[in-house]
Amino acid sequence: MRGASLGVTLINALELPLDNLTAHTQPLDAVIIGAGFTGLYQLWSLRKLGLRVQVVDAASNVGGTWYWNCYPGARTDSPSHIYQYWFSDELLDEWDWQQRYPDQAETERYLNYVADRFDLRKDIRFNTRVDGATWDDSAHCWTLTTNTGETFQSRFIVTALGPLSAPLVPPFKGHETFTGRLVHTARWPREGLDLKGKRVGVIGTGATGIQVVQTIAPEVASLTVFQRSPNYAVPMGNPRYNDADRAAMRARYPHTREAIWTNFVGFDQPGQTRAFFDVPPAERREIMETLWADGSLKLWVSGFMEIFFDPAASEEVSAFVREKIRARINDPILAEKLIPQDHGFGTKRVPLENGYFDAFNQPNVELVDLRATPIECITPNGIRTTAGEIALDVIILATGFDAGTGGLTAIDIRGRNGVSLREEWKKEVRTTMGLQIHGYPNLFTTSAPYAPIAAFCNAPSCLQHQVQWITECIEYLHTHGRTTIEPTPDAEQRWLAHHDELANQTLIAKTKSWYTGSNIEGKQNRLLSYIGGLPAYMAACAEVKQQDYAGFEVV
Ligand code: N01
């Protein structure tokens, strides 16, 4: 778990019972769905075991999230020194990060470099979407079908879909009548979209909407921001790095790669150790100022934990942030519309911003408060709210995702006895540690519900841990002559109960956002991500492994 090597031995490809396979299909040990951050590392890891692995991705290149989300201003909110792989010392030496918070293009370049550096592309099938996966209980393998008509048979599936890969397109009336250009940020045209001099409307003010607004405001003729819920955001400090910065960063790598695994959220900066109300008010203020001035997410992830469960502490920190936002906006009435009052700071994803609030001081930027004047419909000319029609050339949907579950339910996954995951999850979303699901043997999931994933963890930290756990599990099955693994219903229930017990103590579970599924009508309202912290999650995973996969049926 500590870096350059997984400590695995090279093993021969698993021997699938080929008599049950049809001639036209290709027997594989594992199919990985997705060629993003997780999928690339999973491919590298399983290949090291000597397995026959195929990655399948709907995109035309590697990158996953960083391929699809090429909208203006897309950028990470985790600093580059922790938004990277740890499996190769050579890679750490070779790759030069250019800035503290890499933009989409830099992150995509990094993933392309990794794909080339480790010769990963030869096992990736691009432009191919997995439509279905069906478990065959007699052959102990999965059959995957794709939109290209190709099928794969494989002992294992690892889904590397990312937590935020199924775009949410709200069903606005008249959507199809719009005569301008309508685009979702997560399906931004790869060839780009010229917005100069255009009348643009942006719906949504989450992390994505904030990045789009601050980036395009200077170049468009007019920008109308359709806001349903205002958002807190922390100003980003994003220095460019020179050789000396990179040398200092590299010198810290041995510390960093240890620190992220012991950090609650997979970052490398510890949080406050004293209880919020044990710290005198003036000192609390000083600490908040220092964290704020860092230009990072520290006020959220390295601040006081009480903001997640103590309403009084939450209110004090939220008031501090509201004051900061208020000071940025010239018009006091507009300022109040842009300041959240209905939830505490950090009870949903805190974005970093770089000129977002200042954009509203520009004469070409207008806010439409959808709580006061909701959208009635999209018209051929623009958007009609209850206050009238706004003419637009381009509508940008920054409306988010069907998080955690949407990528998986888009695939028709049929487990034992043909049971549909999509239908099961309409009743209740279940997983065991976000890694497997009872009834779906040999299906490994990453970024799935009830693991820390992106909501409460620096994504690369938790994803690399999941890949390592999955790899070691598959290696174990092989070395012990076993063919299937599946969590028991009891173990699954215990994990869910543990997850719920922790989640329900927090203010996060009481706040509407994609974290709880409440951004999707009819979706189960339950915290999607495990909130016990990355170290506790890793300890639980390690215990399962140490006890020969206790809680899992291994056959
Ligand atoms: O999506 P969101 P996002 N009518 O769900 C609004 C990651 N990310 O794409 O809050 C009108 O947060 C919705 O309003 P409301 C990060 O984890 C990372 O912005 O539901 N408005 C909200 O304002 C992030 O959390 C990075 O009332 C509607 C917005 O659309 C996650 O992705 C950058 C609506 C959706 O916000 C998702 O962020 C970007 C409707 N019918 C994203 N439906 C970085 O690392 C939805 N909205 C920097």
Side-chain angles (χ1 to χ4, degrees):
M1 178 67 248
R2 290 287 189 272
S5 161
L6 276 169
V8 293
T9 47
L10 191 69
I11 56 179
N12 292 325
L14 301 178
E15 282 157 23
L16 280 172
L18 300 184
D19 46 314
N20 282 319
L21 304 178
T22 50
H24 68 280
T25 54
Q26 309 156 38
L28 292 158
D29 298 316
V31 167
I32 298 165
I33 311 176
F37 211 106
T38 314
L40 295 180
Y41 181 36
Q42 188 68 76
L43 171 58
W44 180 89
S45 303
L46 291 181
R47 219 195 236 175
K48 270 198 92 166
L49 293 181
L51 303 189
R52 291 161 301 187
V53 188
Q54 178 70 59
V55 180
V56 184
D57 198 302
S60 64
N61 202 347
V62 299
T65 289
W66 298 102
Y67 171 95
W68 294 108
N69 288 269
C70 54
Y71 60 82
R75 176 181 300 283
T76 69
D77 275 351
S78 291
S80 45
H81 71 276
I82 58 166
Y83 205 86
Q84 62 178 336
Y85 295 113
W86 296 103
F87 67 86
S88 161
D89 288 336
E90 292 78 17
L91 178 62
L92 288 165
D93 281 342
E94 289 162 18
W95 184 259
D96 285 338
W97 289 111
Q98 301 300 317
Q99 52 196 327
R100 187 186 193 190
Y101 293 106
D103 55 22
Q104 177 269 337
E106 185 175 355
T107 312
E108 194 183 20
R109 268 199 310 280
Y110 172 69
L111 294 172
N112 274 274
Y113 180 82
V114 170
D116 294 331
R117 172 72 174 74
F118 299 99
D119 196 17
L120 299 177
R121 290 179 199 280
K122 65 181 181 203
D123 291 326
I124 305 176
R125 193 70 50 90
F126 293 113
N127 300 307
T128 306
R129 178 181 297 282
V130 173
D131 290 333
T134 303
W135 173 250
D136 181 335
D137 222 3
S138 56
H140 291 188
C141 77
W142 287 93
T143 300
L144 296 97
T145 53
T146 66
N147 65 336
T148 59
E150 201 171 7
T151 62
F152 299 97
Q153 288 199 304
S154 178
R155 168 69 38 90
F156 301 104
I157 296 176
V158 183
T159 61
L161 300 161
L164 298 154
S165 54
L168 166 62
V169 177
F172 293 118
K173 245 195 308 173
H175 185 120
E176 65 298 338
T177 66
F178 184 56
T179 52
R181 187 82 187 258
L182 188 147
V183 57
H184 193 287
T185 46
R187 290 294 176 272
W188 199 262
R190 294 285 299 173
E191 66 280 11
L193 184 56
D194 186 7
L195 298 173
K196 275 191 202 69
K198 300 257 167 50
R199 299 167 301 172
V200 179
V202 174
I203 306 179
T205 52
T208 304
I210 283 176
Q211 292 185 330
V212 172
V213 166
Q214 68 195 15
T215 308
I216 67 172
E219 69 179 58
V220 297
S222 69
L223 176 56
T224 311
V225 182
F226 295 86
Q227 171 193 277
R228 193 164 64 182
S229 308
N231 223 335
Y232 299 100
V234 178
M236 170 187 279
N238 191 22
R240 291 196 72 79
Y241 287 149
N242 59 28
D243 287 344
D245 297 325
R246 282 187 282 270
M249 187 197 283
R250 285 200 176 97
R252 284 196 308 273
Y253 277 167
H255 163 78
T256 310
R257 69 160 28 141
E258 289 295 319
I260 55 173
W261 309 121
T262 54
N263 184 274
F264 195 81
V265 284
F267 278 61
D268 60 338
Q269 300 290 327
Q272 302 300 311
T273 47
R274 287 181 293 167
F276 189 81
F277 288 108
D278 287 351
V279 180
E283 198 183 337
R284 288 204 294 267
R285 173 83 196 195
E286 210 175 297
I287 292 170
M288 287 192 273
E289 290 285 4
T290 305
L291 296 172
W292 182 264
D294 190 66
S296 67
L297 290 176
K298 274 189 188 167
L299 183 63
W300 186 36
V301 300
S302 306
F304 293 100
M305 290 291 281
E306 285 88 342
I307 62 169
F308 300 116
F309 50 83
D310 180 334
S314 166
E315 182 47 35
E316 187 172 317
V317 176
S318 302
F320 169 84
V321 180
R322 288 184 198 122
E323 190 187 312
K324 296 285 185 194
I325 298 174
R326 199 169 281 122
R328 297 267 295 280
I329 300 152
N330 298 341
D331 174 350
I333 296 173
L334 180 61
E336 292 317 309
K337 289 183 181 164
L338 285 163
I339 292 173
Q341 297 288 353
D342 63 350
H343 66 279
F345 174 80
T347 58
K348 59 187 192 183
R349 169 65 149 74
V350 177
L352 291 178
E353 58 86 25
N354 221 329
Y356 174 69
F357 293 111
D358 315 279
F360 291 94
N361 295 329
Q362 287 184 210
N364 66 332
V365 179
E366 195 195 340
L367 182 79
V368 173
D369 176 1
L370 295 180
R371 287 184 179 169
T373 55
I375 293 175
E376 283 185 343
C377 62
I378 294 180
T379 67
N381 298 322
I383 292 178
R384 182 185 301 285
T385 71
T386 51
E389 186 184 65
I390 295 156
L392 299 166
D393 302 312
V394 180
I395 297 175
I396 299 175
L397 301 178
T399 42
F401 301 88
D402 182 358
T405 56
L408 281 160
T409 55
I411 302 170
D412 185 11
I413 298 174
R414 308 259 165 181
R416 279 193 203 285
N417 307 314
V419 174
S420 155
L421 184 70
R422 194 183 281 161
E423 295 307 313
E424 287 289 288
W425 277 12
K426 278 185 190 159
K427 293 179 241 157
E428 184 183 27
V429 177
R430 293 180 295 104
T431 76
T432 302
M433 302 190 303
L435 286 164
Q436 279 218 297
I437 306 157
H438 173 70
Y440 301 83
N442 291 3
L443 172 68
F444 293 98
T445 52
T446 61
S447 303
Y450 317 136
I453 60 164
F456 307 128
C457 189
N458 171 44
S461 305
C462 47
L463 292 173
Q464 287 177 87
H465 164 258
Q466 290 200 318
V467 166
Q468 290 165 12
W469 190 92
I470 290 166
T471 306
E472 287 163 3
C473 179
I474 290 175
E475 185 190 27
Y476 171 93
L477 295 176
H478 180 74
T479 52
H480 289 77
R482 308 297 182 89
T483 55
T484 60
I485 182 163
E486 177 190 353
T488 66
D490 285 354
E492 195 148 279
Q493 198 46 48
R494 276 198 302 279
W495 183 256
L496 266 174
H498 168 62
H499 167 88
D500 285 348
E501 191 191 349
L502 297 180
N504 293 335
Q505 295 169 34
T506 69
L507 300 171
I508 299 168
K510 299 178 179 68
T511 305
K512 285 188 172 178
S513 78
W514 68 261
Y515 279 15
T516 55
S518 54
N519 64 327
I520 306 281
E521 217 182 310
K523 189 166 175 174
Q524 156 190 288
N525 201 331
R526 188 185 219 163
L527 202 60
L528 276 172
S529 293
Y530 177 68
I531 198 158
L534 183 60
Y537 176 74
M538 284 170 50
C541 293
E543 194 181 324
V544 166
K545 183 190 160 205
Q546 278 150 15
Q547 295 177 2
D548 286 337
Y549 298 91
F552 288 71
E553 198 175 341
V554 180
V555 179

